[in-house]
Every structure is written in C-alpha cells, then in structure tokens.
C-alpha cells in the first residue's frame, strides 16, 4: 500500500508540474517528467534508509519524493520561489537537500555518479553503516565516468548502489542504437560488482532487488548495480512529442502501467477496495493541490538574493 501511495503521489506531482508549466507558473520550461517510471523510484526509494545519501539525474522528482521530499518545497523550487529546496536557484534539474541525503540532481549525463562515489566513500570512512545510491538513466551507461566509478567503488569495496532507471531512450536514441551490447549487468560484474536486473514496471520487484543489493552493500560486500527496465510515458521534455517511437510501442508499455499493476495486485490480495482506492486518490489529490497552492504563494527572489549562496 505504501508503494502504491508513493507512486500515486509521484504521478500526481508530475502531472501538476506539467499543468503548472502550461499555466505559466513555472520558472523556465526544462522539466523531465518521470511518469511511467514511478515503480523504479518508489521501489528503490523504499529500500533505502534514513541516513543513506543519493544523487539523481535530471529526471529525479519521483526519486526525491520517494525519499521523503516535501512536495510544497519541490513545487516552490520549480516555480523559482525562495521557499524552494534551493531557494529557487536550482529548479527542477538541480534540486538538493542534504538533510534528506539528497546530494543533488544533475543535468550533466553521468556527472552525479562520481558524486555518489564520494558519498559512498564518506559513508564507509565515517563508519555510518549507510549506503550511497546513484540514480541515472540508460543514457549514462556508455559514459566513461560510470566505469571509472565502478572500478574505484569495487577496488575500495564502497557501499554504493548504482541504480539505472532504464527508460529505453536517451533523448531520441533507443538504447540498442547507442550500446554495442545490452548485457549491462555483466559489464558491472566484470568489476566484481554484484548486479541485478529488475522489471521496472513492477514496484515490488524493484523494491526487493534494491533491498537485496543494499543489504549486500551495507554488509561490507562492496558496491552493487541495479538496472530497472521501464518507460517514460511522455516525451523527453515537455515539448517532445516523441516522433522516434511508434504508437504501438508506447501503447504496449502503457498497458504495463506500474500503478495499475500494483492496484490490481492489492485488490486481488483483498488489501484494497474500490472505495479505499478512491479515498487514496482523493488524499493524494488534496495533498498536491495544497502543495501547489502553498508554493504559488511563495516569495520571489529579491535582487540581493543574487549574492547569497555564492562562495566568492
Ligand atoms: C554529458 C551530457 N551529454 C549530453 C547531454 C544532453 N542530454 C540531456 S538529457 C540526455 C538524455 C539522457 O538520457 P538518460 O540518461 O537515459 O536519461 P532520461 O532522459 O532518459 O531519463 C542527453 C543526451 C547532457 N545533458 N550531458
């Protein structure tokens, strides 16, 4: 039930980001929505613990929500308000919050991975018993920095989970047109890193796989690698109608909607009724409505804010 709630919250959040943009409420237009990828975020997020640290790629709203983000402060960030997680200076693609372990979303493909490597080093050096997780897309699978990081993490047996949200496309390029092989788990295993592939449209499958791998990391086994196969239901950005995908392909993935799947599973197990489902939807809708309203009343930065949060 918790996983279903998290996925519903993510979808509602993302849909309201899209709507807010159309209403002219957002600062800028650079939004990468994770609708369709909720199971990867909710499953991996639920397997993590308080005190773990993480980084995300540019499509990271859902992951941060799954790790306890306040949606009001996230909307405020997207709206460029001072009340946002980064005082409105980061926006959708650069949200960070050290209190919740979020060391930053990152707009440079693969660039968050070595930051999480440092996070993993810190976790072990400080003997926290916690783990560091780097979330990134399939577009980063052929970036050299991933393999430099896998090597160093394995060499030093650092507690890091490399978590790939494989939505099949890097902008308009399908993964098999960018990768010589699709055996990514094997690639990780050549470094001595434990790897697993999960159905990224099944939230419980992701949760279980991520939980097993994180236990391995925390138990001193060194790093791990998880690839969750999923799909983004919208375009790369809000203005992308995805002309590089067929309607049939989109439809076949939409039929595997992770939210519907979990809803069905809970209903079949007798844990969810139509009434309790409707109540859950109403609760999530109210939460996100209130979050948007709160953020929209936030304050705009003053000129003097330009010189705050600046090192030199
Ligand atoms: C180093 C680098 N190269 C290219 C880009 C342009 N770019 C932005 S997003 C993107 C696709 C990323 O795909 P993926 O990592 O799979 O994440 P997704 O957008 O599919 O969630 C690219 C190529 C970039 N931001 N950084």
């Amino acid at each position: 039930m918790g996983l279903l709630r998290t996925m519903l919250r993510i979808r509602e959040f993302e849909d309201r980001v899209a709507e807010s943009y159309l209403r002219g409420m957002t600062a800028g237009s650079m939004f990468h929505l994770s609708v369709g990828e909720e199971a990867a975020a909710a499953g991996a997020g639920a397997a993590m613990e308080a005190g773990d640290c993480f980084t995300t790629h540019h499509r990271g709203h859902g992951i941060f929500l799954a790790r306890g983000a306040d949606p009001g402060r996230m909307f405020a960030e997207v709206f460029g308000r001072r009340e946002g997680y980064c005082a409105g200076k980061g926006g959708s693609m650069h949200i960070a919050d050290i209190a919740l372990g979020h060391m930053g979303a990152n707009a440079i493909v693969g660039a968050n991975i070595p930051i999480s490597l440092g996070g993993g080093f810190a976790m072990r050096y400080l003997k926290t018993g916690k783990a560091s997780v780097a979330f990134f897309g399939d577009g980063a699978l052929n970036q050299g920095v991933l393999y430099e990081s896998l090597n160093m993490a394995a060499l030093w047996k650092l507690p890091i989970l490399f978590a790939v949200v494989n939505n099949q496309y890097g902008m308009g390029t399908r993964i098999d047109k960018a990768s010589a092989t699709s055996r990514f788990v094997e690639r990780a295993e050549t470094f001595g890193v434990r790897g697993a592939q999960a159905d990224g449209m099944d939230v419980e499958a992701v949760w279980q796989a991520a939980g097993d791998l994180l236990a391995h990391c925390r138990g001193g086994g060194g790093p791990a690698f998880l690839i969750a196969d999923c799909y983004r239901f919208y375009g790369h950005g809000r203005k992308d109608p995805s002309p590089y995908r067929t309607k049939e392909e989109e439809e076949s993935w939409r039929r595997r909607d992770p939210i519907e799947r979990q809803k069905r599973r809970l209903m079949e197990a007798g844990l969810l009724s139509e009434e309790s489902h409707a109540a859950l939807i109403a609760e999530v809708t109210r939460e996100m409505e209130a979050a948007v309203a709160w953020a929209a009343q936030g304050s705009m930065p003053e000129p003097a804010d330009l010189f705050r949060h600046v090192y030199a």
Side-chain angles (χ1 to χ4, degrees):
M1 279 293 281
L3 294 170
L4 177 65
R5 173 182 276 111
T6 303
M7 291 195 292
L8 285 168
R9 291 176 72 239
I10 294 170
R11 184 153 309 176
E12 185 71 20
F13 180 92
E14 297 289 49
D15 282 342
R16 280 172 194 269
V17 169
E19 186 188 320
S20 304
Y21 165 64
L22 294 176
R23 288 173 185 261
M25 294 162 74
T26 58
S29 62
M30 290 296 284
F31 305 114
H32 303 89
L33 304 181
S34 62
V35 172
E37 304 179 8
E38 294 90 347
M48 291 168 65
E49 291 177 356
D52 288 346
C53 64
F54 64 103
T55 60
T56 79
H57 55 337
H58 51 281
R59 203 177 300 283
H61 297 163
I63 295 160
F64 192 24
L65 281 167
R67 289 306 307 145
D70 169 357
R73 288 189 67 197
M74 284 183 70
F75 278 121
E77 190 59 38
V78 168
F79 297 172
R81 308 290 168 141
R82 291 163 106 184
E83 290 77 4
Y85 270 107
C86 303
K89 293 180 176 182
S92 165
M93 282 197 287
H94 307 99
I95 290 185
D97 181 50
I98 298 303
L100 287 173
H102 194 349
M103 299 192 297
N106 203 306
I108 303 168
V109 172
N112 64 306
I113 298 170
I115 297 173
S116 278
L117 178 71
F121 180 82
M123 291 297 157
R124 205 196 49 190
Y125 187 78
L126 300 172
K127 298 189 170 55
T128 60
K130 302 290 179 185
S132 168
V133 185
F135 289 95
F136 51 93
D138 46 282
L141 281 169
N142 295 305
Q143 294 291 79
V145 70
L146 170 60
Y147 301 96
E148 294 175 54
S149 301
L150 278 168
N151 179 63
M152 198 177 278
L155 185 67
W156 290 346
K157 287 205 173 317
L158 302 179
I160 304 170
L161 176 61
F162 295 84
V164 190
V165 183
N166 174 19
N167 64 16
Q168 319 298 323
Y169 288 85
M171 299 185 88
T173 305
R174 207 174 59 209
I175 186 165
D176 59 351
K177 293 193 173 163
S179 272
T181 91
S182 58
R183 300 202 303 267
F184 301 110
V185 171
E186 276 178 39
R187 284 194 193 173
E189 284 169 350
T190 62
F191 290 91
V193 171
R194 180 173 297 187
Q197 187 161 9
D199 178 353
M201 304 303 268
D202 179 349
V203 69
E204 292 193 15
V206 177
W207 172 61
Q208 252 155 23
D212 289 349
L213 294 175
L214 281 166
H216 166 83
C217 295
R218 292 197 182 95
F225 178 94
L226 173 66
I227 183 160
D229 299 313
C230 58
Y231 204 73
R232 61 168 155 74
F233 288 176
Y234 295 157
H236 170 78
R238 282 302 297 157
K239 292 173 183 164
D240 169 23
S242 318
Y244 45 84
R245 311 195 299 198
T246 64
K247 293 293 156 224
E248 293 72 34
E249 178 185 296
E250 291 184 350
E251 271 314 304
S252 75
W253 282 91
R254 278 175 183 271
R255 277 197 294 276
R256 297 174 57 197
D257 189 323
I259 295 183
E260 284 304 310
R261 185 167 180 171
Q262 187 65 2
K263 177 186 157 193
R264 263 200 319 276
R265 178 183 277 145
L266 292 170
M267 285 189 165
E268 280 162 19
L271 296 168
L272 185 73
S273 63
E274 286 297 346
E275 297 74 55
S276 54
H277 179 251
L280 184 57
I281 301 273
E283 174 203 313
V284 168
T285 306
R286 272 197 306 277
E287 181 197 10
M288 294 303 164
E289 248 168 32
V292 169
W294 179 81
Q297 286 174 5
S299 52
M300 283 297 184
E302 298 291 331
D305 287 329
L306 205 53
F307 301 101
R308 288 175 62 224
H309 314 118
V310 174
Y311 283 111

